[in-house]
Amino acid sequence: MYHFQKLVFLFIFLTSCNSGKLDVIADLPKSLKEASAVEKVANSELLWTIEDSGNKNNIYGIDLKGTIVKDIDIKNSSNIDWEDLTSDKQGNLYIGDFGNNSKNRDDFTIYKVSDLNSNETKAELITFLLPNDVKPKDFEAFFLLNNYFYLFSKENKSSMLFKVPNRIGKHIAQKAFKFNLKGKNLKITAADISEDGQTLVLLNHDKLWKLTDFKGDNFFEGNIQELEFDHNSQKEGICFKNGNSVYITDEKTKGEGGKLYEFKLN
């Protein structure tokens, strides 16, 4: 059910992180120049990543040394603009093909991948359109909660949150919230929610936002903490390692980046 929220400023506490230290875990493989996501999946010891527009329709499982252990070709997919990954408790991996920098797309796809053991497989498709009264949006971030995908539009100022049911077939995305995080560099490039559903993280190139103390899916009516990093790079992937730390990846640009990091939230 659509419930539109006013611009959200209530109960927002913006707190800078003193150190902002990103600990380098590994260099990503040179073959992955545009790693646009990272995801930890139940029943897998690997971290999973993808590349975005113009690259292969493959998912890659890497170990904590940055080595590609698994390379899976998703045969019935097309990498129009893959931007983020999420997963469920059963070990299914979901690819968000919803990047739209040029604002010329009106249909989007989420690929559900159940087989992470073969070298090639087929995915099930969840497709969606935006409501008729919504202008084209670019998305780079989503996560799964209570059998709904939550997608964040990538905007300079006010952003929108949409929800899509985790159900194979065609859907119209539901508008959930309009929100404004305030400040500079507000474009959200990745998102994840903790296993217990109590902490949400949103990623940007030079910071992350940690959201807690929310009820239901009223994510922006709780506490919002802004945690700044000690450097700026094209950070495109985030997932929880545990309740206190996240993994982050960035793309390699001008000889910099292309790494897997750990960042402590507390």
Side-chain angles (χ1 to χ4, degrees), residues 125-136:
L125 275 61
I126 300 161
T127 62
F128 66 93
L129 303 172
L130 296 181
N132 289 333
D133 61 341
V134 175
K135 295 180 180 179

Side-chain angles (χ1 to χ4, degrees), residues 94 110 126-128 144-151 162-174:
Y94 299 86
I110 296 170
I126 300 161
T127 62
F128 66 93
L144 181 61
L145 177 67
N146 296 330
N147 221 29
Y148 275 90
F149 299 104
Y150 288 86
L151 300 95
F162 296 84
K163 56 192 296 188
V164 174
N166 181 12
R167 188 169 64 247
I168 304 305
K170 299 179 180 180
H171 308 279
I172 302 296
Q174 303 173 35

Side-chain angles (χ1 to χ4, degrees), residues 195-264:
E195 188 173 355
D196 63 8
Q198 300 300 305
T199 304
L200 170 62
V201 286
L202 305 175
L203 184 66
N204 179 258
H205 292 175
D206 63 0
K207 68 175 76 69
L208 67 76
W209 295 273
K210 176 185 174 184
L211 284 65
T212 56
D213 299 326
F214 49 81
K215 294 182 179 180
D217 60 5
N218 296 312
F219 306 118
F220 298 95
E221 292 186 359
N223 293 333
I224 301 180
Q225 225 181 341
E226 183 181 293
L227 306 179
E228 295 182 352
F229 303 134
D230 54 8
H231 72 91
N232 189 339
S233 65
Q234 193 167 338
K235 298 175 183 70
E236 299 271 338
I238 190 168
C239 71
F240 276 89
K241 174 185 178 182
N242 52 45
N244 300 314
S245 299
V246 293
Y247 289 119
I248 292 173
T249 57
D250 56 5
E251 293 188 6
K252 192 162 189 175
T253 306
K254 297 180 180 179
E256 297 183 355
K259 299 183 184 301
L260 170 67
Y261 308 90
E262 181 179 349
F263 182 76
K264 292 181 172 58

